[in-house]
Amino acid sequence: MRILSIDLDYIMGPSIAKYEDHFWNDNAGTRWETFFREHKPNVKESDLPFDKGHLFYLFKLFNKCLHNGTEVSFAYDHDNILYSIGDKTDLEIINIDHHHDVLYHGYGIHEPNLPDGTPSNKGNKHEFYHSKHNNDVDEGSWIAYLRTQDRVKSYTWITSQNAIDGVSELDMEYYKSLIPNMRVTTKEEYDILDYDFDHMHLCLSPQYIPPVHWHLYTLFLISYETYTGKKVDLGEIGNKKFEMSIRHLNVTNEILH
């Protein structure tokens, strides 16, 4: 199954470093209101620009695949792509995204360095273990979640150079050893020549895009609805998150069995 996944936060390269690690909250509205309140008056929404070239690249690619008859799904959070993938195997994934979405949160438990200063992969290994044994998955680890089930045939991460530079050499080596045929590249270095995808997924990632730019998602919705004649149910999109649907799966299995 060939999959094209697009995370709109790919366009935020010029400014994402200013905010992505600050005032995280599962509620995007709370996160952004807190961020701007705490940075007032030094940072305004107008101080967080996006890359227009990257937006045009995504929009052109989206429409090429749309006109090619590719099945499309929409979401706010990236882990919702797992609803559309279902139980498919032999996945050939191209992910255009500011983030690699392999593993991110293990360092909340383990420090990235050992006491002697040596870089450590304990955080990554911790997160992968729980993804495999406890269905622990979110928008930043859905690739690793699929890997725990040996369903990834190849993975290409198309991103910006500053995003690549932000991943440590140790982490990158671990990810490439973990994910089969993982390739890291930019749009300048990688041409998508075959638009015959089985599925295309587009997510907004409102945690990583300031509210002033959320309306850009509407461009893709309009294009899809105009071309297909189908209506996108934003109510359904807003009320679903794959992470929450399996969070207590082990609990349920223990109770029932």
Side-chain angles (χ1 to χ4, degrees), residues 174-231:
Y174 179 75
Y175 301 148
K176 288 185 174 181
S177 70
L178 182 69
I179 308 300
N181 301 306
M182 180 174 173
R183 179 176 181 177
V184 179
T185 186
T186 65
K187 69 179 180 64
E188 289 79 15
E189 298 174 341
Y190 186 90
D191 288 329
I192 298 177
L193 301 176
D194 181 3
Y195 299 98
D196 188 22
F197 291 96
D198 298 299
H199 190 82
M200 176 169 58
H201 182 77
L202 177 72
C203 71
L204 171 62
S205 289
Q207 297 282 3
Y208 297 102
I209 297 181
V212 70
H213 301 318
W214 289 350
H215 69 283
L216 296 174
Y217 194 67
T218 310
L219 296 175
F220 296 86
L221 297 176
I222 291 173
S223 183
Y224 172 82
E225 292 179 349
T226 300
Y227 184 78
T228 66
K230 300 177 182 178
K231 184 72 175 177

Side-chain angles (χ1 to χ4, degrees), residues 3-196:
I3 298 170
L4 174 64
S5 191
I6 299 172
D7 191 325
L8 204 57
D9 75 7
Y10 169 72
I11 71 174
M12 295 308 304
S15 60
I16 196 169
K18 296 180 180 179
Y19 60 78
E20 65 176 337
D21 294 329
H22 300 284
F23 303 104
W24 174 266
N25 190 290
D26 288 331
N27 184 301
T30 300
R31 186 262 173 92
W32 286 110
E33 184 174 330
T34 303
F35 174 83
F36 286 113
R37 183 180 67 246
E38 294 300 317
H39 287 82
K40 187 178 181 180
N42 298 320
V43 180
K44 304 181 291 296
E45 288 197 81
S46 58
D47 297 324
L48 303 177
F50 65 90
D51 187 316
K52 293 180 181 178
H54 283 188
L55 176 63
F56 298 154
Y57 168 72
L58 294 183
F59 194 64
K60 182 178 180 179
L61 180 58
F62 178 85
N63 280 281
K64 281 188 175 182
C65 294
L66 190 62
H67 292 192
N68 203 42
T70 303
E71 177 186 82
V72 184
S73 61
F74 296 89
Y76 290 158
D77 296 307
H78 215 155
D79 52 303
N80 277 13
I81 191 176
L82 297 171
Y83 286 119
S84 301
I85 292 175
D87 60 358
K88 300 293 192 304
T89 58
D90 294 322
L91 304 173
E92 299 173 64
I93 303 170
I94 294 179
N95 181 33
I96 307 175
D97 194 333
H98 182 79
H99 304 94
H100 51 72
D101 292 354
V102 180
L103 296 164
Y104 269 104
H105 303 302
Y107 292 121
I109 304 297
H110 295 280
E111 294 296 327
N113 296 308
L114 298 175
D116 64 359
T118 304
S120 169
N121 259 324
K122 282 188 176 181
N124 284 322
K125 293 177 180 179
H126 172 93
E127 186 177 2
F128 184 73
Y129 173 88
H130 288 288
S131 181
K132 183 174 183 177
H133 296 283
N134 292 311
N135 301 297
D136 191 359
V137 60
D138 59 19
E139 66 276 3
S141 62
W142 61 275
I143 293 294
Y145 176 77
L146 290 170
R147 175 64 181 87
T148 66
Q149 302 168 0
D150 295 319
R151 295 161 63 189
V152 180
K153 183 177 180 180
S154 65
Y155 176 53
T156 300
W157 176 36
I158 300 177
T159 189
S160 58
Q161 189 59 51
N162 67 326
I164 296 173
D165 294 340
V167 181
S168 73
E169 183 177 347
L170 182 69
D171 283 345
M172 190 68 79
E173 289 177 356
Y174 179 75
Y175 301 148
K176 288 185 174 181
S177 70
L178 182 69
I179 308 300
N181 301 306
M182 180 174 173
R183 179 176 181 177
V184 179
T185 186
T186 65
K187 69 179 180 64
E188 289 79 15
E189 298 174 341
Y190 186 90
D191 288 329
I192 298 177
L193 301 176
D194 181 3
Y195 299 98
D196 188 22

